[in-house]
Amino acid sequence: MGFTKTISKGVMTAALGLSLMGGGTFAYFSDTFETKNTFAAGTLDLSINPNAVVNIDNIKPGDEVYREFTFENKGSLDIYQVLLDTKYTVEDAKSDNTDDLANHIKVTIMYNTSSATVPVVETTLAQLKEQTPDLTAIDEFVGSTQRPDGIPPGEKEKMFVLFQFVDNGEDQNQFQGDKLQVDWTFNAKQTPGTYNDDTDPDNN
């Protein structure tokens, strides 16, 4: 083998070695495609009408007070639950109370169906303070109308509430002149998150 051929072979071998050490350099085809994705958050907007459910003076044992109020979903998302949070304070006029006036106030909250009312809460005000019931949950459906929990966007749900100052047949004079301030907070909750997969299962 001649000197020129030996040199050429050595150069080619060195070049190949450098190419392998460098990971290889070669020409290739490429293509790109850009997508634009949007995530817009929905809204929860619960409206209550009227905003004061009840204002009563001169209530006495045996009295019953009936009121109506309406939930409206003004948002873009389904309202899954409306949880009721109850707080109250008692103003003891004569500072002689040995019992909580709220123990003597029975509260019944009902949902209106097409043919009847269905109680969703039935307890004393004192016990209700320790609970957070879902006012849209109905365990029993009346007739053929089966309404799922929650309130869809744009829909209204009428509710009824009955307050009763229970006459227990005993001396309840200690409550004369007392005042009971009840604060209700209605907490709207969204539906659980869902997994959204738009891929075609037949597309391999």
Side-chain angles (χ1 to χ4, degrees), residues 14 47 76 95 102 133 170 184 194 204:
S47 173
S76 63
S95 301
E170 300 177 0
W184 273 354
T194 57
N204 295 323

Side-chain angles (χ1 to χ4, degrees), residues 116-169:
T117 55
V118 180
V120 292
V121 173
E122 193 169 6
T123 186
T124 67
L125 184 60
Q127 292 172 330
L128 186 58
K129 184 180 180 180
E130 307 303 320
Q131 305 170 12
T132 53
D134 175 12
L135 299 188
T136 68
I138 300 178
D139 297 326
E140 178 182 349
F141 294 101
V142 178
S144 60
T145 301
Q146 296 204 355
R147 172 190 170 277
D149 291 348
I151 308 173
E155 292 198 7
K156 298 179 180 180
E157 304 294 353
K158 181 171 287 188
M159 307 293 295
F160 305 105
V161 59
L162 178 66
F163 296 94
Q164 298 171 275
F165 191 165
V166 178
D167 185 349
N168 62 5

Side-chain angles (χ1 to χ4, degrees), residues 14 40 44 46 90 111 114 117 155 157 163 169 180 184:
L44 284 180
L46 177 66
V90 177
Y111 171 78
S114 59
T117 55
E155 292 198 7
E157 304 294 353
F163 296 94
L180 182 61
W184 273 354

